[in-house]
Amino acid sequence: MNILHTMLDGLEHAKALDRIADPIAAVVGKAVRPRAIRNLLSGTAIGHHLHPMLIVVPSGAWSMASFLDLTGGKDSRKAADLLVTVGILSAVPTAVAGLHDWSDTQEKERRVGIVHAAGNSLAVLLYTASAVARAKDRRAAGVLLGLGGLGSMLFSAFLGGHLSYANGVNVNRTAWHEAPKDWTRVASDADVVEGGRHPVEANGVPILLLRHEGKLTAMDSVCNHLGGPLAEGTIEDGCITCPWHQSMFRLDDGKNYRGPAAVPQPVYETRVTGDGYIELRQPAS
């Protein structure tokens, strides 16, 4: 395990990778800027990031292809060859969704991510070569190339798991935020002016109070995508836009209007008391 930790630490601090990663991320960022593309690749419509869902197809297909190559005998050759092809074809949309997610990362996550992408690219190349060798009836070469692709994919999967579970890339940053279940006083109503921002805290949760077109909103102030400060965001057409990656959330219910955020932003119930104070609580489930 120390070797793996040393390797990961080396990748995270390898600033030389920035010369490759940053220009690629800039190009990808421009390509995915339109709202329709952002929402599609973010998984906004389904409320779940798209890339993790797509991964299972190529990884499952390639893993089973190698399993059949090694244990299935002659009768399983056609099935193994088909699985190799399925893996190659499904790797394309998986890579596109992954590049979209990676383009929003910075520094150590971006460096590990570019190596993760390189490992997956090598796997695609090896499996493509394997498919060609199989088609030419060079069975042994096809199997060996497939095993090389499997190894590259597993290494890349290790890096992907590190990004998600150790670095928290695309983990919902508000998942453990729970405002009080009972009405809790947080501010004077006079302090929340039209068009202003008034940050407060309740039950340890950072909350943004704002009034737009006369309507009061209490929203978690940490963008659920990568933790951007919504208090610094712009408000337009009933939505607030995160200044970091331009995720847009509706003020009335927190629903994500534009990715890369894939889940709604928490919005809390509010009321103004008779003596002029704002109270809020967690919405009833």
Side-chain angles (χ1 to χ4, degrees):
M1 291 302 296
N2 288 336
I3 295 176
L4 293 176
H5 291 162
T6 300
M7 181 268 293
L8 288 169
D9 185 68
L11 288 179
E12 289 180 343
H13 292 87
K15 294 185 179 181
L17 291 171
D18 296 344
R19 293 196 293 270
I20 301 172
D22 289 348
I24 296 175
V27 171
V28 175
K30 290 180 181 179
V32 302
R33 189 171 296 165
R35 174 174 170 259
I37 296 176
R38 269 292 201 185
N39 288 356
L40 174 64
L41 297 178
S42 298
T44 298
I46 59 177
H48 189 289
H49 286 284
L50 192 62
H51 182 60
M53 297 175 61
L54 296 179
I55 287 171
V56 298
V57 182
S59 61
W62 285 337
S63 298
M64 288 307 302
S66 292
F67 176 78
L68 292 177
D69 282 337
L70 296 175
T71 65
K74 291 184 178 180
D75 292 340
S76 66
R77 287 181 176 180
K78 288 185 177 180
D81 295 350
L82 176 61
L83 286 168
V84 168
T85 301
V86 169
I88 295 169
L89 295 177
S90 60
V92 175
T94 303
V96 171
L99 282 171
H100 164 271
D101 293 351
W102 168 79
S103 68
D104 292 324
T105 60
Q106 298 291 332
E107 297 182 345
K108 65 179 183 179
E109 291 86 3
R110 181 171 288 182
R111 295 164 192 152
V112 174
I114 194 67
V115 179
H116 168 73
N120 281 331
S121 298
L122 177 59
V124 173
L125 289 174
L126 289 170
Y127 272 110
T128 300
S130 175
V132 172
R134 292 164 193 263
K136 293 182 178 180
D137 203 26
R138 296 168 54 196
R139 197 80 209 165
V143 171
L144 288 174
L145 287 165
L147 290 174
L150 180 65
S152 184
M153 181 190 71
L154 290 175
F155 171 73
S156 182
F158 170 75
L159 296 180
H162 177 76
L163 287 171
S164 295
Y165 298 112
N167 295 136
V169 174
N170 278 346
V171 173
N172 182 357
R173 301 304 173 95
T174 65
W176 293 272
H177 289 187
E178 289 192 15
K181 295 182 179 179
D182 298 322
W183 288 111
T184 301
R185 181 172 293 188
V186 291
S188 169
D189 186 45
D191 291 336
V192 185
V193 299
E194 178 70 25
R197 313 284 198 281
H198 191 76
V200 297
E201 187 174 292
N203 202 30
V205 177
I207 296 171
L208 175 64
L209 295 177
L210 53 86
R211 183 170 273 112
H212 178 66
E213 296 181 351
K215 185 176 181 180
L216 180 65
T217 295
M219 175 179 285
D220 196 304
S221 65
V222 176
C223 179
N224 67 64
H225 173 231
L226 286 177
L230 289 183
E232 299 175 15
T234 58
I235 296 175
E236 187 177 3
D237 297 329
C239 295
I240 188 167
T241 301
C242 178
W244 282 10
H245 304 109
Q246 287 70 58
S247 292
M248 296 179 67
F249 306 98
R250 288 173 15 185
L251 294 176
D252 55 352
D253 56 11
K255 288 186 178 179
N256 40 330
Y257 178 75
R258 180 185 186 275
V263 298
Q265 187 71 7
V267 170
Y268 307 105
E269 294 182 0
T270 61
R271 70 179 184 186
V272 179
T273 63
D275 54 351
Y277 284 92
I278 296 172
E279 294 183 339
L280 60 79
R281 68 178 180 183
Q282 190 83 18
S285 56

